[in-house]
Amino acid sequence: MMDPEVSVLLHCAHWHGLLESQVQVELSERFNRQTDLALERHIDEVWTKRVSKEPWLFNGAKFRLHSFCLADPQNPPSTPLCHGTIFHHTEDQNSQGQRDLGDIRNRCTSQTENAEGPSNHDYREFNGIADKPPPHPAPLLSLRLGLTCYKDYLGTNWSCGVAKLRQRGEAEFGDPLTLLAQPLGVGAILCTSNGQVVMIRRSQKVAEAGGLLDIPGGHPEPKAVCERLGQRVCEEQISIAMMERRPEAIVSELFSSVCAEIRDEVNIPLSSLGPPVLMGVALNHTSAGRPSAEFYVSCSLSSDEVRKLYWKGGAEASESTEVVFVSRTEVLQLDRSSPLWLELCPSAKGAMLLYQTVKPDVVPDRSRRGDAKLTPPHVHKETD
């Protein structure tokens, strides 16, 4: 299925998704965006104009996804990881058409690297879906993260000059995304006890995709990680040095933040949510290829119970106007010819593609794997 708004950067279909213990993070300044004085002036100008019109805007720190390493599913988890970078998914590639859904289901596009550095567009195919999950909860995915912020996102990914920034990145660094903020978002395919996927209609007042159907989502917060580590700082003081020695805290925030978003946007208590399962990362091409980690989260409540809680209102109730339920069967059959597809915002489209590809709910009992958390992790969430 081709859609110019979205593509799949990576999926974890071989394992039907990954749990928290199977993901690790490498945080480094090497994974921050590149910049110069002219670009910083441009970002300041864009931010000043936006704040003058929308004084409620808040410049929160975000994690920047630079690249990833995914284990080869044809070999044990202890084997070397293959490497992938986001910059293979360019606007030119996207304009030529996305991979169809059948192709996405059978492949994970990634760039292999040797000891001398990255190869030139060397892709490996991961064929098939695992008959059973791996026996040990060894890390299978490593995410390489830097730091960025909402201000930089507006001044790069959402800048009217983003095309030139991509051209500069390609010409100067061999990576069209290296000058862009690329903040990592999170989203959840939330499934009720009676097989309904929970969606919300975005308010017309939100900054992006107003009036369209979306899934619960937001961002993992660097500030929350710092506070979990006992460092209470303002957003402007957050640095990589505060977190780089405790990467497991970042992984915890990545997984717990999606539960926090469900709680705040849909008003479902954390105790009613199962452990998040990472399906993969999708790219939103309406914002220059912005990445979002998409999860599957089960809910012990029925759709009627969820509806009642939603209308009572959560912490972020103002961001949506209604809750919508779509059957799991309909979601699995969804394609571009479906009327519902036209109502979906890009982040929801990416999550739907990953859900159809990964099928995270086909594993009958993840708790038997020995690495599932039977209760949601502690969540501390700062809202922007």
Side-chain angles (χ1 to χ4, degrees), residues 189-357:
I189 294 290
L190 175 65
C191 194
T192 66
S193 61
N194 59 329
Q196 299 291 307
V197 174
V198 181
M199 306 196 73
I200 52 179
R201 190 172 299 280
R202 294 173 63 84
S203 167
Q204 294 288 357
K205 297 180 181 180
V206 296
E208 301 175 39
L212 297 178
L213 287 177
D214 200 1
I215 56 174
H219 303 85
E221 304 289 353
K223 185 177 181 181
V225 175
C226 291
E227 292 181 348
R228 189 176 291 124
L229 297 177
Q231 305 177 73
R232 293 192 171 274
V233 295
C234 63
E235 297 282 352
E236 293 76 13
Q237 295 175 320
I238 293 173
S239 69
I240 285 178
M242 296 176 178
M243 299 175 283
E244 61 184 348
R245 294 185 179 180
R246 293 289 302 278
E248 70 279 3
I250 302 172
V251 177
S252 178
E253 169 62 12
L254 176 65
F255 278 73
S256 64
S257 64
V258 74
C259 292
E261 295 293 348
I262 294 171
R263 176 198 61 196
D264 294 344
E265 295 182 7
V266 191
N267 199 32
I268 297 176
L270 297 178
S271 58
S272 298
L273 302 177
V277 179
L278 178 62
M279 300 186 293
V281 176
L283 301 180
N284 181 347
H285 294 287
T286 66
S287 51
R290 178 188 183 183
S292 181
E294 306 296 353
F295 294 82
Y296 168 80
V297 180
S298 62
C299 177
S300 62
L301 305 177
S302 69
S303 54
D304 285 341
E305 291 172 315
V306 170
R307 182 182 289 107
K308 291 176 182 177
L309 287 171
Y310 173 84
W311 287 114
K312 287 183 179 180
E316 297 178 4
S318 62
E319 295 185 3
S320 64
T321 58
E322 67 172 324
V323 63
V324 175
F325 299 93
V326 183
S327 71
R328 177 182 180 276
T329 301
E330 184 177 354
V331 169
L332 288 172
Q333 297 174 348
L334 196 62
D335 59 31
R336 287 192 70 188
S337 66
S338 306
L340 180 62
W341 188 262
L342 299 177
E343 291 194 71
L344 300 180
C345 66
S347 57
K349 291 178 179 178
M352 294 295 177
L353 288 177
L354 280 166
Y355 180 70
Q356 293 173 339
T357 304

Side-chain angles (χ1 to χ4, degrees), residues 157-176:
N157 287 66
W158 270 108
S159 168
C160 59
V162 66
K164 292 183 178 180
L165 291 178
R166 292 179 65 104
Q167 292 170 2
R168 276 191 56 200
E170 179 65 53
E172 297 175 20
F173 302 95
D175 176 358

